[in-house]
């Protein structure tokens, strides 16, 4: 709860649960790391956690980055590849996703984990904005749902499903 951390320049690999967990009300700055071959998540965010995830190489996990609850992230200039899913977002999580290379994942590059993109009844009620990401080679596609296509354009855009 409520911890703060800067995680910079590390090799984080081969963990049973995940490489980096940012949970509850924690804040983290995660930069310049090689995060690989962790069983569940490269970076896992939940609760009302906040993180800046920048300049990392994230590969070989179930999800490169997973976000749930009301977590909030800025995800910039990372290489996210070789995971089951690149970036997966649940619940009311919110993210700015810009300038990443998100490719060669076994599922989607970026996906909202709800009925449109998975076989579950959950509904995504969060927010996504971003631009200038590079995809390709993601087995299920670069994004899901189609409303996230802006993430892979120069002009970008936003998807706002927050409840008012």
């Amino acid at each position: 709860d409520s911890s703060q951390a800067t995680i910079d320049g590390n090799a984080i690999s081969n963990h049973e649960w995940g490489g980096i967990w940012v949970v509850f009300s924690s804040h983290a700055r995660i930069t310049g790391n090689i995060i690989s071959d962790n069983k569940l998540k490269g970076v896992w965010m939940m609760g009302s956690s906040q993180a800046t995830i920048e300049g990392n190489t994230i590969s070989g996990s179930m999800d490169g980055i997973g976000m749930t609850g009301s977590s909030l992230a800025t995800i910039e200039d990372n290489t996210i590849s070789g995971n089951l899913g690149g970036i997966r977002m649940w619940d009311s999580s919110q993210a700015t996703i810009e300038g990443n290379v998100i490719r060669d994942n076994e599922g989607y590059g970026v996906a909202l984990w709800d009925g449109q993109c998975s076989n579950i009844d959950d509904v995504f009620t969060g927010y996504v904005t971003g631009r200038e990401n590079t995809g390709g080679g993601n087995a299920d596609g670069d994004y899901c749902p189609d409303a996230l296509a802006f993430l892979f354009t120069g002009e970008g855009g936003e998807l706002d499903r927050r409840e008012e």
Side-chain angles (χ1 to χ4, degrees), residues 71-86:
S71 56
L72 174 65
T74 300
I75 304 168
E76 294 181 339
D77 301 320
N78 300 284
T79 298
I80 303 167
S81 64
N83 302 286
L84 179 58

Side-chain angles (χ1 to χ4, degrees), residues 79-121:
T79 298
I80 303 167
S81 64
N83 302 286
L84 179 58
I87 299 171
R88 290 199 235 193
M89 298 176 66
W90 288 261
D91 304 322
S92 60
S93 56
Q94 299 180 45
T96 299
I97 304 171
E98 294 187 348
N100 300 283
V101 175
I102 307 169
R103 54 181 304 110
D104 301 322
N105 294 288
E106 294 177 32
Y108 291 107
V110 180
L112 306 182
W113 215 237
D114 63 13
Q116 292 183 29
C117 305
S118 66
N119 194 18
I120 59 174
D121 293 330

Side-chain angles (χ1 to χ4, degrees), residues 18-37:
I20 298 172
W21 287 53
V22 185
V23 298
F24 306 115
S25 299
S26 297
H27 294 79
R29 181 163 179 78
I30 303 166
T31 59
N33 300 286
I34 298 171
I35 304 166
S36 63
D37 302 315

